[in-house]
Amino acid sequence: MKTILSSQTMDIPEGITVKVDAKIVEVEGPRGKLTRNFKHLNLDFALLDGGKKLKVEAWFGSRKTMAAIRTAISHIQNLITGVTKGYRYKMRLVYAHFPINASIPNNSDSIEIRNFLGEKKVRKVDMLEGVKISRSEKVKDELILDGNDVELVSRSAALINQKCHVKNKDIRKFLDGIYVSEKGTIAEEAYSRYLAVETLIFFLVLSEAEDDSPGDVEEECLAGDESADVVPDREGPDDAQAASRQPHQYVTPLVTGLPGRSSSEWEEDGESQGDGGIAGN
Amino acid sequence: MPFKRYVEIGRVALVNYGKEYGRLVVIVDVIDQNRALVDAPDMVRGQINFKRLSLTDIKIDIPRVPKKKTLIQAMEAADVKNKWENSSWGRKLIVQKRRAALNDFDRFKVMVAKIKRGRAIRQELVKLKRENAA
């Protein structure tokens, strides 16, 4: 049965310009420009709200044309992430005995694979337009494919994978090849590196805290992730009570005259140390 | 690109096929996916296929299936007749009708008038060309 009208709207994030004319969609963003042709679909594309929303409509659509609405929107969302975050596909070189020798020329748009399963044949794969390939520095035997268009990046990965199929052997045993290990975006990696640096700073600060009295560790944990703030804050109370606090470790708790510290309070601090020193302990 | 004229109650349409060819009607109700109930001041209310209708830009404000009296009142209020005759589409139709209704003598008169007009235009053009070349 034909449904008179079915439509779906999607939001376009800030900083992206989308132009649609005669079912050809152009998306422009910080990483460049991507185009996609939807002329094979019988849908209406309309920009609303001055370019902030995109509406896709199907008039008198069968089940299949209505299904195409959401796929068209997903394709456009892929264009948008490609143009903001970019796509990064990681592949691992997997081999049991013969090390796969992969060399990438300077312009990083092709790859040569030698010694796959000990074969003399050299396999050369050209990357598709806009896709750059490189070897990962930190990880052994890893290739990184970068690009804006997810279709081109994933197809380049597939081309590399397909060049290294094993022939005339039991593929359950001969598992050699180049396999896609991770599909992600380029921007996300930058973010995870940022997070790693932040936690590193946090732990460094904590390890300094272990040399001081337990009270400081509690402050540390309460301060949370603002490692930038934690360091200057710590100095304040430290300076004020440094003289009084430092002998605390080496002197028995029965020493009076120290501000706010009695034998009963020791236990509280001990517990807090147990809670607070997650990383230290 | 998206559609601007919609099938709705009160949409004025032109019949482009069949017995009622060339008549302006108002869509008064939608029967199903393919047919509508249409009405006009000088016709009996009846059903018609959407394929036989061409939608116009004009829309009037009526309740669903109004009485003939209310329909006529609404059409007067929205001034459908004048809007149609002043629109470019309406004017073209009027000219087509007039041309189809000419008799031989009228066609002769038209021919003479066209020649006269053409001569006047060409004279002006030659004058302008001479001025420009000089």
Side-chain angles (χ1 to χ4, degrees), chain A residues 2 44 46 59-60, chain B residues 1-3 6 33:
Chain A
K2 304 256 180 204
D44 288 343
W59 292 92
F60 294 107
Chain B
M1 210 326 352
F3 295 98
Y6 293 98
Q33 206 185 56

Side-chain angles (χ1 to χ4, degrees), chain A residues 202-248:
Chain A
F202 184 56
F203 289 152
L204 277 174
V205 166
L206 261 186
S207 58
E208 286 174 39
E210 278 171 27
D211 301 335
D212 297 346
S213 65
D216 283 356
V217 178
E218 207 178 295
E219 265 178 61
E220 237 8 77
C221 307
L222 292 173
D225 289 344
E226 301 138 75
S227 49
D229 295 337
V230 168
V231 174
D233 279 345
R234 266 177 5 99
E235 299 310 313
D238 242 3
D239 287 331
Q241 302 168 20
S244 51
R245 283 231 175 147
Q246 272 190 337
H248 210 205

